[in-house]
Amino acid sequence: MAGSDEQAVRGRDRLAALLADASTGALAAAGGLVAGVYLRSATPGLLRLSVLAGLPGPLFKPWWRLHVDRPFPVADAYRLGVPVVLPNATETMRRYPQLAAGLPFPFGSVHVPVPGRTEPLGVLTVLRPAVTDTEDEFLDREPLARLAAALGVGLLALADGDEAAVLWDGEPMGVLPPVRRSAQAAAGRFHWDPVTAALRADDPLHTLLGLRPGGLGGTAKALAEAVAPADAPRILAALRETAAGRPPSAPLAVRARDGAPRLLLLWPEGADGTEPAVGDVVVGGVVFHPGPAAADGAADLLPQGVFCMDRLGLIVYANPAAARLTGRTREWLIGRQLWDAMPWLAGAPYDDHLRGALLAPDPVHFHARRPGGERDGPGEGDWLAVSVHPGADLLTCTLVPASRLDPGTERVPEALVPPGTVAAERPTASLYRPIALAIALTDAVTARQVSAVVMQELLPAFGGRQLAIYLLQDRHLYLAWETGFPQGFLAPFDGVGLDARIPGVETLTTGRPLFFESMEQIVAAYPGLAIDADVGARAFLPLIASGRPVGSCILGFDRPRGFSTEERTVLTALAGLIAHAMERARRYDSEAALARGLQQALLPRRLSAHPLVETAGRYLPGAQGMDVGGDWYDVVEAGDGLALVIGDVQGHGVQAAATMGQLRSAVRAFALGDRPPDEVLSGTNHLLIDLDPGQFASCCYLRLDPVTGRARIARAGHLPPLLRCPDGRVRVLDIPGGVVLGVYPRARYPVTELLLEPDSILALYTDGLVERPGMDIEDGIASLGLVLAEAGGAVGRRAGWSLAEVADRLTATVRLAPDRPDDVALLLAARRPAAARRPEGRAGHGPAPPDRS
């Protein structure tokens, strides 16, 4: 047993080292600020962050878990198996608005799948400084691809080749990036007398500036040019303002000649406890990455609080003023995480400020209220002005009592931070941005999709484990979605009337959210309710949209817990968003059901047949948005021949389906009268213009003589047919055509004649079959022709293939696509040799019912 335990420990150590090396290597390869690795978890469809380098784990907590079907770059990289590259915030907002809403900072990112044997094991992700270049010029992706491949090999080796065993279900490891600059402290002080213009600088300042003692010169201009030549005017202006009694409200962030960041702190003499000198003498400090190795202790002399933390949030330096302002000793502060040492800097809105300092090049300034304590001096249990200055390895932070600032300085309202709140009491909900849920809900169109978004986005933000959504119908609440509850637990509450006295009903009828910190509270409030008293807290939220009741939402927690005022406010606001999304989804579901029924009634259940012609049709609805459209096909008896027609009405939904039905009826009427193809299209064009539905349509109409194979064809803005010849060649029939139907009443539609030889196959199709994002439609038509050439040969050789099987082959790719944006229609026709004539009435004359999957 001991040997087994030691082996497990060694395996965990090797895994930790492998993940740490991959993340730090990715930082170096991409010039990144933050890197991490997502791995699959034991929960199907859920990725978990396993390691994070360059950013404190608590600041990234909202993104520790990601579902593979959510619109995030990590999920897309995993699901599609291809890298996702985002050069800057503009591209991120365009493609992934949820990520941009949660991290609204100017950075770029790269997400590379970690390959396994049959599917990705996870994703290597890097956040790096934003650039204006195009994606191709963003960076060399080859080093990251090699790192991801090596990580995949290493993970499989640790799992003894078992791909299914590569899982991660814990919290992410924190890894400190390699040090890129010296973390040595450097600080110096100076005194400037605006009356005499004399300036005195101490030896540490000369050392910091690379000058011999006394080599700085005795003027403010010489100081400004030595500290930061490009920022000299700002420095001189700040000196004058401070001498006039208006010191800067935050340290000035400047850069040395070599680009190194420096901070300039200014205050009137006497503000640091010394006796004021004659005149308005200005005291200043220049600080460059104060750290634990401050041999000269110069930063210790500054009256402002100064502390530094590394990129994992560990405090590595604090001067005496910072210790005094935080009510702690220096020895206690150093070596602690920021959120442990200063819990009043944890949670919203401070997490956003700290993320900004870690992901963006500019300093951030904000106010924070430190709760009062017995160690406080007069007035110091109040607001502090906080500045955070980013650096390659350390973040330099300053603290100044707000009472010392310019009275005109804007202060954060006290209501933003609950008084006396400490880290243990701060809700995890403050990590969640309501705007992110709002954006996610805009992508959900069905009630099921809305429920899935709530489960995937809302529960993790509040630490919940159970979710139930009830919808109102005929004054009863019916369970629409639930997850996490024991099987059958919610069954007694399904279909209850609005007169039932249970919290799920009461929250809707009163419009008030109900929060219970434990199940005992629910039992006390509802004595007759038969529930398990051992489960945890519950939140019951009314779903009300524009004053109309929609339903109820229940959040469940494993253990008892409290709900802060902030948390209750956020949950109530989010319930309103959910209600509006659910109301919109219910309208969509109703319209979709109506459109599907209408479309199924309009599409042909069986195609007209002829002994010498075999036909097959397929229809696939779009997989995004309203899943019905205006594509249609038909085969109609036309005199002693057959008319083959395919069309596409612009748009989706009930209107498109209704217009399609009217056009199909018109074409059938013209075809049954055996009208020529040009007259069929002209007559249908006039009908559509007279109906004026605000839509247009494309159409291709062909009249075929089965005995001779002679075909006459006309097009109205439709894609050209494909013809597979008996010798295997596939031709694109680029015949002349007219404009789409419904646009120009005098449009003309030229007719082209062609010969359909025995064993040849004609393919009519709509654009949903050949259009792909980022690909020319001509390439899509060429690809379809290749598949037709291969599959059609089996029919020509009479190798047991039917035309229906060829139709399945041609639609296989789009059938499996999860994000098919448009509906698809396909109509195939094959002319048989006279000797192959089948007996009348055989099922092979017509296709199976149209495929509506």
Side-chain angles (χ1 to χ4, degrees):
M1 180 66 70
S4 176
D5 291 344
E6 292 176 2
Q7 186 176 3
V9 170
R10 287 196 298 270
R12 287 195 296 269
D13 290 344
R14 289 197 296 270
L15 175 60
L18 187 65
L19 293 170
D21 289 346
S23 57
T24 55
L27 286 175
L33 303 166
V34 180
V37 176
Y38 283 88
L39 295 177
R40 298 177 304 179
S41 69
T43 303
L46 184 68
L47 301 176
R48 284 185 179 268
L49 185 64
S50 62
V51 63
L52 185 64
L55 190 71
L59 292 186
F60 211 69
K61 193 169 185 178
W63 300 276
W64 282 6
R65 298 155 34 111
L66 287 177
H67 285 261
V68 298
D69 58 351
R70 298 305 301 147
F72 281 89
V74 170
D76 280 357
Y78 175 84
R79 192 178 62 253
L80 302 176
V82 297
V84 175
V85 181
L86 304 170
N88 46 49
T90 301
E91 186 70 6
T92 304
M93 175 59 78
R94 186 183 70 82
R95 296 174 59 185
Y96 300 98
Q98 290 186 50
L99 176 63
L103 291 170
F105 312 112
F107 66 88
S109 61
V110 189
H111 312 268
V112 182
V114 177
R117 289 180 175 172
T118 60
E119 61 180 348
L121 304 175
V123 177
L124 176 64
T125 185
V126 184
L127 310 184
R128 68 186 306 275
V131 296
T132 56
D133 298 335
T134 63
E135 178 179 314
D136 293 337
E137 300 167 339
F138 184 33
L139 82 164
D140 182 5
R141 283 181 267 173
E142 185 58 32
L144 286 177
R146 289 196 297 267
L147 278 170
L151 176 59
V153 171
L155 291 172
L156 288 174
L158 287 177
D160 295 326
D162 183 4
E163 193 174 62
V166 181
L167 302 173
W168 185 275
D169 280 296
E171 294 187 358
M173 303 184 304
V175 176
L176 193 64
V179 175
R180 286 167 283 185
R181 287 200 184 108
S182 170
Q184 296 288 327
R189 285 170 42 120
F190 63 86
H191 292 69
W192 176 63
D193 187 341
V195 177
T196 65
L199 184 139
R200 294 181 290 107
D202 61 10
D203 289 344
L205 182 54
H206 283 86
T207 302
L208 170 63
L209 300 176
L211 301 172
R212 59 177 177 77
L216 179 60
T219 67
K221 182 179 180 181
L223 169 75
E225 292 180 347
V227 171
D231 293 305
R234 290 178 58 212
I235 295 174
L236 292 173
L239 284 169
R240 291 190 293 270
E241 288 291 304
T242 304
R246 297 186 297 272
S249 60
L252 296 181
V254 297
R255 290 194 175 271
R257 193 182 304 275
D258 63 357
R262 290 173 177 171
L263 305 183
L264 180 68
L265 301 93
L266 301 173
W267 64 97
E269 191 170 37
D272 56 351
T274 61
E275 289 297 325
V278 177
D280 295 320
V281 175
V282 176
V283 183
V286 180
V287 183
F288 173 46
H289 285 316
D296 51 35
D300 293 352
L301 303 178
L302 301 176
Q304 291 92 344
V306 179
F307 69 92
C308 287
M309 61 180 178
D310 64 19
R311 293 189 68 85
L312 294 187
L314 191 72
I315 297 175
V316 297
Y317 167 80
N319 71 352
R324 177 171 52 83
L325 289 170
T326 58
R328 298 290 186 179
T329 65
R330 296 176 68 181
E331 293 74 18
W332 189 90
L333 288 173
I334 294 174
R336 293 182 183 269
Q337 289 283 333
L338 174 68
W339 299 273
D340 295 333
M342 303 175 198
W344 37 274
L345 282 180
Y350 309 123
D351 285 354
D352 267 346
H353 295 312
L354 295 172
R355 279 192 286 260
L358 286 158
L359 295 174
D362 300 321
V364 296
H365 309 286
F366 56 94
H367 290 69
R369 184 177 183 181
R370 179 180 63 83
E374 60 183 17
R375 299 176 60 93
D376 298 332
E380 290 181 358
D382 207 327
W383 288 96
L384 297 176
V386 184
S387 295
V388 184
H389 297 262
D393 305 302
L394 296 177
L395 279 75
T396 304
C397 310
T398 64
L399 304 173
V400 179
S403 59
R404 293 185 186 172
L405 300 179
D406 184 343
T409 301
E410 181 181 356
R411 299 188 181 182
V412 175
E414 208 168 306
L416 283 183
V417 184
T421 304
V422 298
E425 299 169 345
R426 281 193 177 272
T428 56
S430 61
L431 293 166
Y432 190 74
R433 299 174 59 87
I435 189 174
L437 178 63
I439 293 174
L441 288 174
T442 62
D443 294 332
V445 293
T446 67
R448 184 175 183 83
Q449 289 172 346
V450 170
S451 301
V453 166
V454 175
M455 180 192 72
Q456 296 167 0
E457 299 286 347
L458 190 64
L459 283 184
F462 290 86
R465 293 292 181 269
Q466 296 92 30
L467 170 72
I469 294 180
Y470 287 84
L471 296 180
L472 180 64
Q473 183 177 353
D474 299 328
R475 296 188 58 78
H476 288 75
L477 285 176
Y478 294 94
L479 184 63
W481 179 278
E482 63 94 9
T483 182
F485 288 95
Q487 186 174 4
F489 181 82
L490 298 176
F493 311 108
D494 190 13
V496 297
L498 293 186
D499 55 349
R501 190 176 182 273
I502 59 175
V505 170
E506 186 173 334
T507 190
L508 180 62
T509 55
T510 65
R512 294 184 294 105
L514 303 175
F515 299 94
F516 298 94
E517 298 183 358
S518 66
M519 197 56 67
E520 287 82 359
Q521 290 187 357
I522 299 182
V523 173
Y526 302 89
L529 205 59
I531 52 177
D532 186 352
D534 293 330
V535 280
R538 291 285 187 272
F540 295 84
L541 307 174
L543 301 182
I544 299 175
S546 302
R548 295 188 303 275
V550 176
S552 302
C553 177
I554 304 173
L555 296 182
F557 302 84
D558 290 341
R559 296 182 297 276
R561 56 157 295 175
F563 296 91
S564 69
T565 302
E566 178 188 17
E567 208 168 14
R568 293 172 186 237
T569 301
V570 172
L571 279 171
T572 303
L574 295 180
L577 293 177
I578 297 167
H580 280 279
M582 191 62 75
E583 180 74 358
R584 185 183 67 245
R586 293 178 70 178
R587 289 196 300 267
Y588 167 87
D589 287 340
S590 298
E591 182 180 352
L594 176 61
R596 280 193 296 268
L598 177 61
Q599 187 181 48
Q600 289 173 0
L602 294 175
L603 284 172
R605 294 188 175 274
R606 194 175 190 280
L607 302 180
S608 298
H610 191 281
L612 294 178
V613 178
E614 182 180 2
T615 57
R618 291 292 180 266
Y619 174 80
L620 301 173
Q624 294 180 349
M626 178 66 71
D627 58 352
V628 291
D631 290 15
W632 93 94
Y633 61 87
D634 207 351
V635 178
V636 188
E637 293 181 2
D640 56 357
L642 288 179
L644 285 75
V645 59
I646 195 164
D648 182 2
V649 177
Q650 169 210 15
H652 298 270
V654 174
Q655 182 62 47
T659 302
M660 176 268 285
Q662 291 171 310
L663 294 186
R664 176 175 177 263
S665 298
V667 171
R668 284 186 68 87
F670 287 128
L672 289 171
D674 202 13
R675 303 281 290 276
D678 55 337
E679 293 185 20
V680 172
L681 292 185
S682 295
T684 307
N685 178 50
H686 284 106
L687 172 67
L688 185 57
I689 292 173
D690 290 342
L691 291 173
D692 192 21
Q695 294 170 305
F696 58 83
S698 67
C699 186
C700 184
Y701 182 92
L702 180 143
R703 200 277 189 191
L704 173 66
D705 183 338
V707 177
T708 64
R710 179 173 173 264
R712 304 180 71 231
I713 186 169
R715 287 196 304 143
H718 203 81
L719 296 174
L722 292 176
L723 178 64
R724 187 190 186 280
C725 302
D727 60 5
R729 291 182 299 110
V730 174
R731 295 164 46 203
V732 178
L733 301 180
D734 192 11
I735 56 179
V739 299
V740 292
L741 305 175
V743 174
Y744 180 52
R746 297 183 180 180
R748 294 292 179 262
Y749 300 97
V751 176
T752 301
E753 292 194 6
L754 60 94
L755 182 64
L756 191 65
E757 301 179 66
D759 284 337
S760 58
I761 299 175
L762 181 71
L764 307 178
Y765 52 92
T766 57
D767 53 6
L769 187 60
V770 292
E771 276 191 329
R772 298 291 180 275
M775 184 176 73
D776 290 337
I777 195 168
E778 289 79 7
D779 295 336
I781 295 174
S783 298
L784 182 67
L786 293 175
V787 180
L788 178 61
E790 179 182 353
V795 175
R797 294 190 300 271
R798 297 291 172 224
W801 280 52
S802 68
L803 202 61
E805 289 173 306
V806 176
D808 289 336
R809 284 288 300 275
L810 295 180
T811 56
T813 300
V814 293
R815 184 190 305 273
L816 298 175
D819 55 351
R820 185 171 59 248
D822 199 2
D823 45 350
V824 173
L826 171 70
L827 178 61
L828 300 181
R831 181 169 170 253
R832 302 191 190 95
R837 187 173 185 172
R838 296 186 182 182
E840 293 291 338
R842 287 194 54 180
H845 294 176
D851 186 349
R852 298 180 176 89
S853 61

